[in-house]
């Protein structure tokens, strides 16, 4: 569906898009350009100012170098492999900042183009990045991100300003952006953000997931809102209907204030359910857990009644920074989360980078088809030093409460076997060092999110301790629909018969192997689908905290034995339209 502006009145403008968050927001526009850090104003300077401008560059480079030296000192204190890895990248940054081709090039450009230092830096960086990107050497081509990072640091040092606009927002800000990267969303201050509106990203994009986990109303794919919205304008985001209203009339505002109040009342009544166990009318207990992206979510997911963390996406620790987190840093974060959960299980997923999730310090090269490339567990097994540091931190955190280790994007049993070998080595090493570990060691599970993994679920079940079915990627890969591409978002359908059959097949394989299985993709948080998933025999669901009470309400009203016949009909139905009707019928 191509989104069009629906109507224009004198002031009020209504835009249609895709709803990806929860609830509604009333706030003020805060525009964010994800590429803003590379946009600096070019100012012509007179010949008399050339020398002083060149001097500014040297001073700024010296300050940026000092900062890098501090980071280098920190890197030396990191555990062996990580320290080496980070130190190597920092050395390269340091070199680029001291009398290098970059600095000489900037000096020269100030003189020849007679432009301010900031603009000269951006020009030089642009040319160098272009030259590197076209090199045959894949390692050098992958250094483009490092060059840009050095450029950003230099401009920050010149202006004395950090270009991290999203960490300092006005109250009730509705961010209107072309795109929000996972790094952008990690930097958000949720206390001040009322809602999100982006041009790019499908319903299952990471922006959408973060919006849901922070309980933010969000709408994506707004074709022309960026050309219309101005900072400070009043805006309403209807994250239920998928519309955005710029400069709402007083009548619209009154309607939305009432709507917001009503949603709050509903939310409050649902919260009364948080301490009640999730058991169906016929006595089947369902384990309801939370997906988290950031440790700061723990408090709210516990308040929403989560019985554990079913999916802790660990990527945030690697985002938004030029270096890699040390084992100590990861251990601090993870052990704190485990302690905060106070005896409830925490499922930590190992690094799931690649495609839309790229960390600057990881030196990843985007292959020809990133979604099918060296990502997630494949990346970890290739870059073992990074993996070992993460696994050590997880193993050490497991001494503070029940932890499960979850591997993303597994496609073959060999990957699980290799991880088991690494874990055995690491455990022995940590024990030799006298480090406290959990006894027994954390269970090792796999995400079922590749169709091939689902079809080979029986083989994978024989090697793993639990399954977590990731329906977001499972849908993407089964239907060949890029989950972040709004152009094909209309085809993205986790209820496609093919996806449902793969879920059912995986659930059956887990049951036959007597291992626990959960669904942790976004459909787990849609209460209209709860009867269907439970009907497949799934008794563990992990979702954004905000969805827990609603799903629980559904479970409490269900009689599982009464729907088994209808679930069987659904699994044998192959027409997507009839299937949709049957599922709607089931959730009534
Ligand atoms: C999934 O793919 O369903 C999943 C839960 O993982 P992510 O959304 O982090 O890729
Ligand atoms: Mg996934």
């Amino acid at each position: 569906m191509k989104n069009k502006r629906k109507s224009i009145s004198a002031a009020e403008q209504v835009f249609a898009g895709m709803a990806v968050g929860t609830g509604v927001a009333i706030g003020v526009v805060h525009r964010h350009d994800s590429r803003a850090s590379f946009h600096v104003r070019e100012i012509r300077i007179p010949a008399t100012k050339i020398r002083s401008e060149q001097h500014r560059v040297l001073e700024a480079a010296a300050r940026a170098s000092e900062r890098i030296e501090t980071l280098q000192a920190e890197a030396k204190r990191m555990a062996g492999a990580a320290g080496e890895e980070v130190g190597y990248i920092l050395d390269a940054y340091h070199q680029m900042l001291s009398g290098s081709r970059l600095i000489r090039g900037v000096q020269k450009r100030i003189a020849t183009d007679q432009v301010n230092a900031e603009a000269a830096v951006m020009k030089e960086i642009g040319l160098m990045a272009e030259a590197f990107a076209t090199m045959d050497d894949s390692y050098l081509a992958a250094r483009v991100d490092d060059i840009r990072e050095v450029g950003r640091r230099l401009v920050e040092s010149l202006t004395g300003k950090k270009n991290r606009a999203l960490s300092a927002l006005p109250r009730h800000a509705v961010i209107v952006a072309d795109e929000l990267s996972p790094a952008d969303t990690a930097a958000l201050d949720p206390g001040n953000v009322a809602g999100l509106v982006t041009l790019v990203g499908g319903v299952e994009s990471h922006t959408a997931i973060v919006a849901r986990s922070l309980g933010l109303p969000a709408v994506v794919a707004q074709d022309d809102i960026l050309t219309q919205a101005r900072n400070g304008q009043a805006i309403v985001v209807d994250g239920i209907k998928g519309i955005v209203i710029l400069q709402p009339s007083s009548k619209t505002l009154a309607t939305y204030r009432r709507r917001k109040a009503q949603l709050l009342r509903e939310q409050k009544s649902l919260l009364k359910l948080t301490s009640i166990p999730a058991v169906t009318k016929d006595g089947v207990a369902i384990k309801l857990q939370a997906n988290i992206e950031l440790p700061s979510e723990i408090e709210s997911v516990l308040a929403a009644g989560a019985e554990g963390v079913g999916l802790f996406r660990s990527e945030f620790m690697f985002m938004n920074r030029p270096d890699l987190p040390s084992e100590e840093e990861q251990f601090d974060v993870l052990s704190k989360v485990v302690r905060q959960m106070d005896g409830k299980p925490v499922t930590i997923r190992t690094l799931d980078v690649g495609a839309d999730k790229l960390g600057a310090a990881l030196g990843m090269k985007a292959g020809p088809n990133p979604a099918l490339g060296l990502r997630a567990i494949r990346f970890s097994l290739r870059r073992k030093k990074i993996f070992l540091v993460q696994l050590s931190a997880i193993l050490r955190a497991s001494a503070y409460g029940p932890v499960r280790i979850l591997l993303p994007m597994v496609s073959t049993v060999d990957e699980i076997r290799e991880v088991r070998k690494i874990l055995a080595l690491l455990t022995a090493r940590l024990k030799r060092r006298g480090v406290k570990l959990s006894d027994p060691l954390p269970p090792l599970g796999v995400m079922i999110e590749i169709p091939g993994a689902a079809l080979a679920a029986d083989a994978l079940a024989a090697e793993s301790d639990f399954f977590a079915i990731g329906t977001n990627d499972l849908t993407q890969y089964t239907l060949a629909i890029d989950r972040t591409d709004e152009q094909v978002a209309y085809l993205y359908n986790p209820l496609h018969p093919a996806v449902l059959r793969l879920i059912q097949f995986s659930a059956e394989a887990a049951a036959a192997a007597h291992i626990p299985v959960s669904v942790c993709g976004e459909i787990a948080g849609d209460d209209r689908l709860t009867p269907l998933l439970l009907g497949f025999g799934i008794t563990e669901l992990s979702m954004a905290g905000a969805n827990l009470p609603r799903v629980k309400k559904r479970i409490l009203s269900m009689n599982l034995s009464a729907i088994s016949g209808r679930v069987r009909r659904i699994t044998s139905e192959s027409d997507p339209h009839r299937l949709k009707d049957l599922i709607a019928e089931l959730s009534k």
Side-chain angles (χ1 to χ4, degrees):
M1 178 190 70
K2 190 89 180 143
N3 302 292
K4 289 188 209 81
R5 200 163 74 210
K6 278 197 354 196
S7 68
I8 305 178
S9 67
E12 182 174 290
Q13 290 176 286
V14 183
F15 300 83
M18 267 186 297
V20 296
T22 51
V24 301
I26 303 171
V28 289
V29 172
H30 178 88
R31 290 173 59 104
H32 172 69
D33 183 348
S34 58
R35 292 176 291 260
S37 46
F38 297 103
H39 288 165
V40 300
R41 228 156 69 92
E42 181 174 319
I43 303 168
R44 300 276 306 158
I45 55 163
T48 50
K49 276 198 79 182
I50 291 175
R51 279 183 82 85
S52 64
E53 208 58 12
Q54 287 174 329
H55 191 66
R56 273 185 70 220
V57 173
L58 290 181
E59 280 184 345
R63 280 195 301 274
S65 292
E66 264 172 38
R67 173 77 192 119
I68 298 283
E69 279 158 25
T70 317
L71 294 174
Q72 280 172 317
E74 282 169 20
K76 288 213 175 75
R77 287 199 295 273
M78 288 180 183
E84 223 174 85
E85 193 96 25
V86 176
Y88 182 68
I89 293 170
L90 292 176
D91 287 349
Y93 288 4
H94 199 259
Q95 264 176 29
M96 279 193 253
L97 284 166
S98 39
S100 65
R101 149 143 191 236
L102 169 67
I103 303 298
R104 285 196 306 277
V106 173
Q107 304 271 53
K108 212 163 137 200
R109 191 162 293 282
I110 292 175
T112 52
D113 295 9
Q114 287 195 226
V115 289
N116 56 329
E118 291 85 345
V121 170
M122 292 325 294
K123 280 191 181 180
E124 263 324 282
I125 291 285
L127 287 175
M128 280 176 76
E130 224 170 82
F132 268 63
T134 52
M135 281 181 187
D136 270 349
D137 184 323
S138 61
Y139 176 78
L140 286 180
R143 300 273 67 80
V144 170
D145 281 344
D146 294 341
I147 296 171
R148 293 197 195 284
E149 177 63 27
V150 170
R152 191 179 60 72
R153 284 179 172 271
L154 201 47
V155 171
E156 278 180 1
S157 176
L158 276 164
T159 56
K161 282 198 291 242
K162 285 217 164 198
N163 223 327
R164 304 257 194 266
L166 287 181
S167 53
L169 290 167
R171 301 265 309 140
H172 308 297
V174 168
I175 295 167
V176 179
D178 50 350
E179 184 174 17
L180 285 179
S181 68
D184 288 330
T185 39
L188 280 182
D189 170 1
N192 285 347
V193 185
L196 304 175
V197 181
T198 60
L199 295 188
V200 180
V203 250
E204 304 306 333
S205 65
H206 273 269
T207 301
I209 292 172
V210 170
R212 279 192 288 261
S213 67
L214 294 178
L216 290 174
V219 172
V220 296
Q222 294 299 315
D223 270 350
D224 44 10
I225 192 162
L226 257 187
T227 57
Q228 308 287 323
R230 300 278 165 270
N231 277 337
Q233 274 178 339
I235 185 169
V236 169
V237 183
D238 185 334
I240 298 164
K241 286 197 193 140
I243 57 173
V244 179
I245 306 164
L246 256 188
Q247 293 186 289
S249 67
S250 46
K251 194 168 154 227
T252 306
L253 268 180
T255 309
Y256 272 97
R257 286 203 183 105
R258 278 198 301 277
R259 183 91 185 95
K260 231 182 128 178
Q262 183 202 348
L263 286 169
L264 260 175
R265 279 197 300 278
E266 265 174 43
Q267 196 68 18
K268 266 196 189 150
S269 85
L270 283 173
L271 283 178
K272 291 195 188 120
L273 304 177
T274 50
S275 50
I276 303 172
V279 181
T280 63
K281 277 188 165 162
D282 49 343
V284 181
I286 308 298
K287 198 184 249 177
L288 293 185
Q289 302 194 319
N291 293 351
I292 63 165
E293 304 251 341
L294 302 168
S296 55
E297 291 175 67
I298 291 289
E299 221 176 287
S300 64
V301 301
L302 280 174
E307 294 172 64
V309 172
L311 171 64
F312 184 4
R313 295 180 166 103
S314 62
E315 292 75 62
F316 78 95
M317 279 188 274
F318 295 77
M319 302 288 182
N320 239 358
R321 55 190 294 164
D323 54 355
L324 290 165
S326 67
E327 181 183 318
E328 260 344 280
E329 186 182 336
Q330 295 188 50
F331 165 71
D332 281 349
V333 172
L334 299 175
S335 58
K336 198 164 156 228
V337 167
V338 173
R339 279 200 305 263
Q340 265 183 295
M341 287 303 289
D342 198 19
K344 296 187 169 79
V346 179
T347 309
I348 304 170
R349 185 176 69 186
T350 62
L351 193 55
D352 186 12
V353 284
D356 57 324
K357 307 178 252 185
L358 281 175
L362 295 167
M364 292 184 81
K365 179 177 169 276
N369 199 337
L372 306 181
L374 189 67
R375 54 173 305 188
I377 188 62
R378 303 166 187 182
F379 176 82
S380 291
L381 289 174
R382 177 69 64 84
R383 300 284 297 275
K384 290 225 178 66
K385 287 177 185 169
I386 298 176
F387 195 37
L388 290 187
V389 170
Q390 182 174 39
L391 286 178
S392 287
I394 298 176
L395 285 172
R396 286 172 56 196
S398 73
Y400 296 84
V403 164
R404 306 196 302 172
I405 302 175
L406 178 59
L407 306 176
M409 303 279 306
V410 167
S411 58
T412 137
V413 287
D414 291 339
E415 288 162 331
I416 311 172
R417 288 179 189 149
E418 200 175 343
V419 176
R420 287 213 189 270
K421 269 193 209 146
I422 295 173
L423 280 171
L425 276 174
L426 270 180
T427 311
R429 193 192 288 172
L430 289 168
K431 279 187 179 157
R432 270 200 306 277
R433 278 203 247 141
V435 176
K436 208 168 95 186
L437 300 175
S438 68
D439 186 16
L441 287 166
L444 180 67
V446 298
M447 296 278 299
I448 301 291
E449 48 189 349
I450 295 178
L455 290 169
D458 47 352
L460 294 175
E463 305 272 340
S464 30
D465 300 321
F466 65 97
F467 277 173
I469 305 176
T471 48
N472 307 339
D473 275 314
L474 190 59
T475 307
Q476 151 165 279
Y477 292 118
T478 305
L479 304 179
I481 306 298
D482 184 334
R483 64 194 256 195
T484 64
D485 186 348
E486 73 282 0
Q487 296 181 87
V488 286
Y490 71 100
L491 284 171
Y492 185 93
N493 177 19
L495 301 182
H496 188 289
V499 182
L500 292 185
R501 285 171 188 181
L502 292 173
I503 296 174
Q504 192 196 10
F505 193 79
S506 311
E508 283 171 3
H514 305 291
I515 60 168
V517 55
S518 70
V519 171
C520 63
E522 292 304 300
I523 63 168
D526 185 341
D527 65 315
R528 291 165 304 181
L529 305 179
T530 310
L532 178 66
L533 296 178
L534 268 48
F536 284 164
I538 286 160
T539 54
E540 284 184 28
L541 299 171
S542 190
M543 65 200 77
N547 295 327
L548 283 163
R550 205 177 293 280
V551 169
K552 187 183 281 182
K553 189 175 173 197
R554 176 74 68 166
I555 291 169
L556 295 173
S557 69
M558 267 182 62
N559 198 336
L560 200 49
S561 48
I563 62 166
S564 56
R566 281 190 284 161
V567 172
R568 262 199 306 279
R569 264 192 72 201
I570 287 175
T571 52
S572 56
E573 180 59 70
S574 54
D575 180 288
H577 303 288
R578 278 201 297 272
L579 190 61
K580 203 171 158 209
D581 292 343
L582 287 174
I583 292 171
E585 185 66 25
L586 186 68
S587 57
K588 267 187 193 149

